[in-house]
Amino acid sequence: MNNTIELVSTDITTLEVDCIVNAANNSLLGGGGVDGAIHSAAGPGLLEECRKLDGCATGEARITKGHSLPAQYVIHTVGPVWRGGATGEDDLLASCYQKSFKLVREYNLQSIAFPAISTGIYGFPKQRAAHIAIRETQRELAENKGLARVLFVCFNNETRIAYNKALLEKR
Ligand code: ADP
């Protein structure tokens, strides 16, 4: 069943969920794309909190408060840069979802919104990334009954098509 997976086409910073996920870089000190949007909407307190984390390895995740965002928390995860697919990119991307869900469990969060991690500036193919995101999420939903809603933000039409296809193929 996919009844707790939702596709939404909106700016992730506007979502009233327990946590939103940031597709961050290793420094955790802000950047372009969704990272820049989250930092500007959250305000300077987020950067201040991120500075204390001392970075994050690719495939790992860290959690901060949401500061001025409507979301209570931000999970910062660092997706892989696409280098052709033979350097562990799939596993690293899967790890971003797994480590984010681990924090969801630790903090007892009920709702989470993900951007399409790595598929912007980092160049990961959108369809391939959508399959990984849906696979890891369905695995988690089967295990974690406290997780009520998982939202995927489709910031462009290609991303929405990719998630729709991944959901259809998984049924
Ligand atoms: P990465 O460096 O991991 O590739 P990007 O931020 O470049 O991260 O892109 C990841 C995804 O986030 C892309 O699909 C991009 O279109 C999308 N995106 C960019 N801004 C926002 C936003 N404000 N809300 C949700 N998604 C966004």
Side-chain angles (χ1 to χ4, degrees):
M1 292 289 283
N2 297 312
N3 56 347
T4 57
I5 293 179
E6 298 165 44
L7 306 185
V8 294
S9 296
T10 188
D11 181 345
I12 200 167
T13 63
T14 65
L15 291 172
E16 294 178 24
V17 285
D18 288 351
C19 78
I20 63 170
V21 176
N22 183 14
N25 58 44
N26 296 118
S27 75
L28 296 185
L29 300 180
V34 71
D35 195 4
I38 288 173
H39 275 275
S40 48
L46 180 63
L47 184 59
E48 214 172 289
E49 193 180 352
C50 283
R51 278 191 207 287
K52 296 178 188 146
L53 298 176
D54 199 25
C56 179
T58 304
E60 296 290 326
R62 299 284 180 269
I63 192 164
T64 64
K65 296 222 160 66
H67 297 271
S68 301
L69 292 165
Q72 207 185 342
Y73 292 98
V74 179
I75 291 177
H76 307 260
T77 188
V78 184
V81 174
W82 180 256
R83 293 197 170 87
T87 55
E89 292 95 325
D90 290 337
D91 289 346
L92 286 167
L93 185 62
S95 175
C96 290
Y97 289 93
Q98 291 159 7
K99 295 290 168 68
S100 297
F101 286 131
K102 187 164 180 260
L103 287 166
V104 163
R105 269 179 264 144
E106 283 170 19
Y107 283 74
N108 285 314
L109 307 179
Q110 294 175 8
S111 55
I112 182 168
F114 286 97
I117 301 165
S118 280
T119 68
I121 298 159
Y122 282 5
F124 204 107
K126 291 182 173 59
Q127 188 64 64
R128 188 161 170 151
H131 275 292
I132 293 168
I134 296 297
R135 183 191 72 208
E136 295 304 324
T137 299
Q138 288 182 328
R139 193 172 286 168
E140 183 65 17
L141 287 170
E143 297 268 314
N144 179 0
K145 296 300 171 195
L147 179 57
R149 296 174 73 202
V150 179
L151 282 67
F152 289 105
V153 179
C154 307
F155 210 58
N156 49 60
N157 204 38
E158 251 189 307
T159 300
R160 180 172 278 270
I161 291 166
Y163 280 115
N164 268 322
K165 199 167 170 218
L167 282 167
L168 280 173
E169 287 172 10
K170 280 280 168 185
R171 270 196 193 124

